[in-house]
């Protein structure tokens, strides 16, 4: 079993062994696109977290285009597709295809925007194991066999099961590490531990957290010798949808208030390593749980903006390139990154009637 999202090189080797070398001028040879969501999908069931984050990213893309032009208003409509984009077996970002309404135009225009999750990992004290840290990424759907998080977009919601993917380079000593999981109000939610030996490795560390998780910005702090030496933050997004439908005010209040059960680490002495919880943060969290409608979307967008970067946008249409008088985008089929970019290696053309094999070129 070979998965191109894990390693495409092995598939190249197999194909060249079966069919001979690729021509030198094949475009997108080392790029791979994998569909995460399509609006016509009947299965799996609608992922409310993915739908929420993707819709927010579409709104942010529309706002970015509006702000980059003069007298141009772009409004995001329906999310049509979500696609993971990889090049040379490295994740480069996620593509959101969505419909838009342009002020002054009657017909909808479909755009695709390339987003990249931001890495907010920082080393506070470059001592001991911090000197070996390569990355600290919190996501979900970790594949233990492949040592790989399948949630590349890092879309986490109130019912997600976040976990840490910790990557270290080789060193001369082994270390026992402690991790503090801190919620948006500054309370210690859980304490987890990991052991790293002298070799380069990728470890997965998963906390025990009761759902629904409190939405907002969470912090993960690495402790060594009773000192916080590194940290990262991650987003637990409020939900715009429940079972694929817009969330009701009653549902929002329940799902965005956090779990009613006490945190497992509430009495841990390690909480003394944190700043005391601020009462204003708790008040803000209570107020946020009551947000609904446009106010809820504004909250979601403010949070999502902190964790994702717009890389580039394109127009799916070949004919509508001038969105506004001062805003022109490249057609998606002319880019190297869009899901609409030419990809001959993945295109099924015809069958060779002599050999029974696919005609590739």
């Amino acid at each position: 079993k070979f998965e191109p999202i894990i390693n495409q090189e092995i598939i190249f080797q197999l194909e060249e062994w079966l069919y001979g070398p690729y021509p030198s001028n094949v475009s997108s040879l080392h790029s791979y696109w994998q569909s995460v969501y399509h609006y016509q999908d009947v299965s799996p069931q609608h992922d409310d977290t993915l739908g929420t984050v993707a819709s927010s990213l579409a709104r942010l893309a529309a706002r970015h285009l509006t702000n980059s032009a003069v007298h141009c208003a772009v409004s995001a409509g329906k999310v049509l597709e979500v696609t993971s984009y990889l090049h040379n077996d490295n994740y480069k970002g996620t593509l959101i295809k969505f419909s838009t309404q342009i002020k002054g135009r009657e017909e909808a225009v479909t755009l695709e925007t390339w987003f990249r999750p931001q890495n907010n990992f920082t080393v506070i004290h470059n001592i001991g194991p911090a000197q070996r840290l390569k990355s600290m990424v919190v996501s979900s759907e970790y594949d233990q066999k492949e040592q790989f998080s399948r949630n590349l977009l890092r879309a986490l919601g109130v019912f997600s099961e976040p976990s840490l993917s910790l990557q270290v380079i080789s060193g001369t000593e082994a270390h026992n590490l402690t991790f503090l999981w801190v919620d948006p109000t500054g309370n210690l939610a859980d304490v987890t531990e990991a052991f790293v030996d002298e070799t380069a490795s990728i470890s997965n560390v998963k906390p025990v957290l009761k759902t629904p998780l409190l939405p907002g910005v969470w912090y993960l702090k690495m402790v060594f010798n009773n000192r916080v030496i590194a940290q990262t933050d991650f987003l637990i997004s409020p939900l715009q949808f429940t079972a694929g439908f817009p969330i009701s005010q009653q549902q929002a209040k329940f799902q965005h208030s956090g779990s009613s059960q006490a945190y497992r680490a509430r009495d841990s002495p390690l909480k003394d390593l944190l700043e005391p919880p601020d009462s204003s943060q708790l008040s803000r969290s209570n107020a946020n749980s009551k947000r609904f409608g446009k106010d809820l979307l504004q909250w979601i967008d403010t949070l999502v903006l902190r964790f994702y970067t717009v890389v580039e946008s394109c127009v799916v249409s070949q004919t509508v390139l001038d969105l506004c008088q001062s805003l022109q985008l490249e057609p998606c089929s002319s880019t190297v990154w869009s899901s609409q970019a030419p990809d001959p290696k993945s295109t099924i053309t015809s069958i060779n009637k002599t050999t029974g094999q696919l005609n590739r070129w």
Side-chain angles (χ1 to χ4, degrees):
K1 177 184 175 182
F2 301 126
E3 288 190 78
I5 200 164
I6 303 295
N7 189 317
Q8 197 175 22
E9 186 62 33
I10 188 67
I11 297 176
F12 287 157
Q13 293 178 17
L14 177 61
E15 288 182 336
E16 291 191 335
W17 177 68
L18 290 172
Y19 308 114
Y22 279 96
S24 59
N25 61 345
V26 176
S27 61
S28 304
L29 187 60
H30 298 287
S31 296
Y32 176 69
W33 294 265
Q34 180 156 303
S35 175
V36 179
Y37 165 80
H38 192 288
Y39 76 101
Q40 292 179 319
D41 288 342
V42 293
S43 69
Q45 290 184 334
H46 187 271
D47 184 327
D48 294 325
T49 299
L50 177 63
T52 294
V53 173
S55 296
S56 178
L57 291 174
R59 292 191 296 271
L60 294 176
R63 195 172 307 149
H64 181 266
L65 292 171
T66 298
N67 294 338
S68 63
V70 179
H71 305 303
C72 185
V74 183
S75 300
K78 181 178 181 179
V79 172
L80 304 174
E81 297 179 36
V82 179
T83 306
S84 295
Y85 168 49
L86 294 90
H87 184 71
N88 285 330
D89 286 330
N90 292 310
Y91 171 67
K92 294 298 182 181
T94 293
L95 314 178
I96 309 292
K97 186 185 292 183
F98 59 102
S99 64
T100 64
Q101 287 294 332
I102 315 294
K103 187 176 181 180
R105 282 185 177 274
E106 291 186 5
E107 75 279 10
V109 178
T110 301
L111 305 180
E112 188 166 50
T113 300
W114 174 9
F115 288 93
R116 185 177 293 134
Q118 295 185 22
N119 291 316
N120 298 329
F121 148 62
T122 56
V123 172
I124 300 171
H125 299 290
N126 195 25
I127 59 173
Q131 297 174 329
R132 296 176 53 194
L133 276 178
K134 188 173 182 180
S135 67
M136 288 175 64
V137 175
V138 177
S139 189
S140 63
E141 301 173 37
Y142 187 78
D143 186 322
Q144 195 71 44
K145 175 177 174 289
E146 302 293 351
Q147 296 188 322
F148 170 80
S149 173
R150 294 185 180 274
N151 181 0
L152 292 171
L153 184 59
R154 307 177 199 169
L156 299 172
V158 296
F159 295 108
S160 297
E161 297 181 1
S163 65
L164 166 67
S165 179
L166 178 74
Q167 188 170 7
V168 297
I169 61 174
S170 59
T172 57
E173 295 181 73
H175 298 286
N176 288 304
L177 302 175
T178 301
F179 297 93
L180 310 182
W181 299 77
V182 185
D183 80 0
T185 64
N187 283 296
L188 181 59
D190 199 14
V191 177
T192 54
E193 296 182 348
F195 173 77
V196 292
D197 59 21
E198 298 88 347
T199 62
S201 63
I202 299 175
S203 304
N204 183 246
V205 184
K206 189 173 182 179
V208 177
L209 300 171
K210 301 295 183 181
T211 59
L213 304 176
L214 190 64
V217 179
W218 285 61
Y219 290 89
L220 178 61
K221 299 176 183 286
M222 176 190 287
V223 175
F224 176 69
N225 286 346
N226 216 35
R227 190 179 186 185
V228 176
I229 60 171
Q231 74 172 26
T232 190
D233 57 13
F234 60 97
L235 173 62
I236 297 297
S237 176
L239 296 181
Q240 179 182 346
F241 304 101
T242 295
F245 296 96
I247 195 169
S248 69
Q249 189 168 9
Q250 184 178 8
Q251 289 170 328
K253 179 68 173 69
F254 167 72
Q255 295 183 11
H256 298 159
S257 295
S259 173
S260 59
Q261 300 185 47
Y263 287 137
R264 190 171 73 154
R266 63 177 178 174
D267 297 322
S268 171
L270 290 172
K271 67 182 180 182
D272 294 337
L273 297 177
L274 306 175
E275 293 289 332
D278 188 344
S279 59
S280 65
Q281 291 176 305
L282 181 59
S283 299
R284 191 179 308 116
S285 179
N286 289 333
N288 284 335
S289 69
K290 300 173 184 176
R291 300 177 78 164
F292 176 69
K294 290 184 178 180
D295 190 33
L296 172 60
L297 298 189
Q298 184 179 15
W299 179 31
I300 294 171
D301 291 352
T302 300
L303 291 169
V304 169
L305 179 62
R306 175 172 170 172
F307 288 88
Y308 297 91
T309 301
V310 175
V311 181
E312 198 171 342
S313 294
C314 63
V315 187
V316 173
S317 169
Q318 290 281 357
T319 56
V320 182
L321 301 180
D322 294 309
L323 301 189
C324 307
Q325 189 174 2
S326 59
L327 181 60
Q328 185 177 50
L329 296 179
E330 189 177 6
C332 292
S333 58
S334 298
T335 70
V336 297
W337 57 266
S338 169
S339 62
Q340 305 297 304
D343 187 18
K345 70 179 182 302
S346 301
T347 302
I348 297 176
T349 53
S350 59
I351 297 176
N352 188 308
K353 294 182 179 180
T354 302
T355 64
Q357 296 178 345
L358 292 173
N359 289 320
R360 297 198 295 164
W361 322 113

